Each structure stands twice: as C-alpha cells, then as structure tokens.
Amino acid sequence: MAGLPVPLPPAKMAAVEKRRPAVAPAANFPDSGRTSVSQAVAAAESEDDFLRQVGVTEMLRAALLKVLETRPEEPIAFLAHYFENMGLRSPANGGAGEPPGQLLLQQQRLGRALWHLRLAHHSQRTAFNNNVSVAYECLSASGRKKKPGLDGRTYSELLKRVCRDGGAPEEVVAPLLRKIQCRDHEAVPLGIFRTGMLSCFVLLEFVARASALFQLLEDPGLAVADRRVGQAVLDTLEGALSAGDLATAPTHYLEAGSRLGPDNLARALDRAAAGRRPSAPMAREEFLEKAAALFIAKVKPVG
C-alpha cells in the first residue's frame, strides 16, 4: 500500500542499531554522582577527625606557633629538631621505671628541657615563660610508678647544666646555685622553677658583660688589670645595682648594670688613675667573681 512504511531488511536494521548511540539510564547518573561526592566528603571528615583524635592537628599547630614565636634562622631545621624531641614529652614514655632505663630517660628529659629553655631569650618574657612551662612539664612527666611533679634533685641538676653550658666558671656560679637549689626530695613548684631558671640565665649574661668590661681594662700583654681601676669599676657597678627598687625580678639587675655607661665609667677610671701608689694586678677570675657576687647578693634564696 502507498501510505505504509516499507520494512527494512534484517541486515540494514542491524547496521542502524549499531550506529545508534548508547544512552545510560537517566535515573542512574545522579545517584552515582551523589554517592561518590558523599563518600569523598565522609572520607575527608573521617581523616580530619582522625588527625584531631591522635593529636596531630594540635601538634602541628603548636609547632607552627613555636616557629612564629621563635623566628629561627633555619625554620626547617628547627622543626626537624622540634619533632625529633616530641616523643619525650609524652607521659606514656615514663614507663621505663628501672635503672638504667630510668637514668637514660631522665637525661633525655633534661636535654629536651634545656632545648626548650634556650628557644627564646629571657628578655622575650612571654615566649621565655611559655618555654619554661614546657620544660617543667617535660621534667614532671610521670611513669607507671611515679607521681607527677618535679623533685629538687632534677631541678638542681638542670640548674647546673644551664650554668655549665653557659660557659661561666664554676666558682663564679656556685654561690648562686647554693642559694636557689632545693633539697633532693623536695617538691619544686613551677614558680620556683621559673625564678631559678631566669636567675641562671640573667647571671650568665651579667658575667658575659662583666667579662667584656674587664677586657677593656686589662693589659693585653699581661692579661691582668690594675687593681685600683678594677675595684673602681666594681664600686661603680655596685652603686648602679643598689639604685632603685630591684627586688621584683632578676632582669632588673641586668638593666641596672647597663647604667654603668661611658660617663660613669670614665669618672671611675679618672678617680683610680689619680692614685700614684703602685697597685697589685687583678686577674679576670677575681673580677668576675666579685662582679657576680654583686648580682648574687640581690637574689633571694629559695625558701
């Protein structure tokens, strides 16, 4: 008939079906897309939760804050050292309770505490106090058979390490250590710990400045200074330390020592040069001991 379509042969019909593009069911595409997106979001959330639960997020945040606080010249090396020491801070590592494991752990904690104490100069008050608190926490970590807290033996050992590593002569710092040390089994609170550490670091800087001052006074060939000149400078330094109220903080002694400016020093040297009698020499060690004694006399003893 004229109006009816003519059916295609089977071979041509198969060829047309092959050329027709395959279309995926419309209903399946949105479901699979939503599933993959939700899975990705869930995975991201679970990863964030995991990092928070194990403390990695807070650890990285603390490390970055420490870099910003300290501003080291080599941040990458600083971070490497920071993470290298992280494991010793955990109280879980305090379980090695029997010698020699306990002794080794104690030395590691002392080393880590020293590292934190050196991160910021004592003049950076906030940063220094934060680092002192971290050092105190390192040394106060408890094991399975030990209550948390810091004893006098560990505190005194750390004081000695700070002074020894600072390069000050032992006879110069010994009087300070005797004033601020605690008994071996005495509990040391954070306040005393902070004051002791600050006193040591200030004394080390005070002695370094006194050593630089003596270098200006000494005879290069003899490595000694005229006793009249040395004693005149010490008297002027004592007057500077005695001026004002210096009982609030050890750093004030250092600030007072800086009052020994060129004018005061020049007047002291003029007075010393006015004497015509021969004077015995003064060695560097004697000058440093006497200068340190002026500082140590202002430090309040523990207890």
Side-chain angles (χ1 to χ4, degrees):
M1 292 185 170
L4 295 176
V6 179
L8 295 175
K12 290 186 178 182
M13 180 66 72
V16 171
E17 292 295 334
K18 287 181 180 180
R19 288 194 300 270
R20 186 175 297 169
V23 179
N28 292 337
F29 180 75
D31 291 342
S32 61
R34 281 196 298 268
T35 301
S36 60
V37 171
S38 62
Q39 289 176 347
V41 172
E45 290 179 351
S46 63
E47 290 172 355
D48 290 342
D49 290 339
F50 170 75
L51 294 176
R52 281 193 295 269
Q53 290 172 4
V54 299
V56 172
T57 301
E58 184 61 28
M59 180 184 66
L60 292 176
R61 179 178 178 275
L64 294 178
L65 288 176
K66 188 64 69 175
V67 170
L68 294 174
E69 179 182 84
T70 308
R71 299 185 183 277
E73 295 182 0
E74 298 182 2
I76 302 303
F78 175 88
L79 285 172
H81 199 174
Y82 180 87
F83 288 124
E84 180 182 353
N85 287 277
M86 280 301 297
L88 298 177
R89 185 176 176 181
S90 173
N93 288 336
E98 300 297 333
Q102 181 65 29
L103 179 60
L104 175 60
L105 179 63
Q106 184 69 4
Q107 293 303 315
Q108 290 175 331
R109 285 177 174 164
L110 284 170
R112 175 170 167 76
L114 279 170
W115 183 77
H116 277 285
L117 290 171
R118 297 191 189 107
L119 286 179
H121 189 265
H122 59 77
S123 61
Q124 299 174 273
R125 185 59 56 85
T126 301
F128 181 79
N129 286 340
N130 289 340
N131 293 334
V132 168
S133 298
V134 174
Y136 183 84
E137 182 182 345
C138 291
L139 298 174
S140 302
S142 60
R144 289 191 296 266
K145 300 180 181 180
K146 180 183 176 183
K147 295 181 179 180
L150 178 62
D151 57 36
R153 174 183 291 181
T154 304
Y155 164 70
S156 299
E157 177 63 25
L158 184 60
L159 291 175
K160 294 176 184 177
R161 291 275 296 269
V162 169
C163 292
R164 185 178 69 235
D165 294 353
E170 183 177 351
E171 59 275 9
V172 171
V173 300
L176 175 68
L177 295 179
R178 286 194 292 269
K179 291 187 75 171
I180 62 177
Q181 282 179 343
C182 296
R183 298 181 182 89
D184 285 354
H185 301 290
E186 187 176 359
V188 181
L190 177 59
I192 289 180
F193 180 82
R194 180 185 293 112
T195 301
M197 295 302 131
L198 181 60
S199 298
C200 283
F201 280 107
V202 173
L203 175 63
L204 291 175
E205 185 169 347
F206 191 89
V207 171
R209 294 188 183 186
S211 180
L213 180 58
F214 183 84
Q215 189 173 357
L216 300 176
L217 306 177
E218 69 179 346
D219 184 330
L222 301 177
V224 295
D226 185 274
R227 181 168 296 276
R228 287 193 307 266
V229 174
Q231 190 59 52
V233 172
L234 290 171
D235 292 342
T236 307
L237 178 58
E238 184 178 12
L241 290 173
S242 300
D245 180 15
L246 303 176
T248 53
T251 52
H252 289 187
Y253 311 145
L254 199 60
E255 296 167 3
S258 65
R259 297 173 190 168
L260 189 64
D263 294 340
N264 290 339
L265 184 58
R267 285 193 292 269
L269 295 178
D270 288 341
R271 288 195 301 269
R276 297 185 177 277
R277 291 178 300 176
S279 174
M282 176 179 285
R284 175 186 297 270
E285 292 76 13
E286 181 184 355
F287 183 85
L288 294 182
E289 285 185 36
K290 289 185 174 181
L294 298 175
F295 168 85
I296 296 171
K298 302 292 183 179
V299 178
K300 293 182 178 181
V302 171

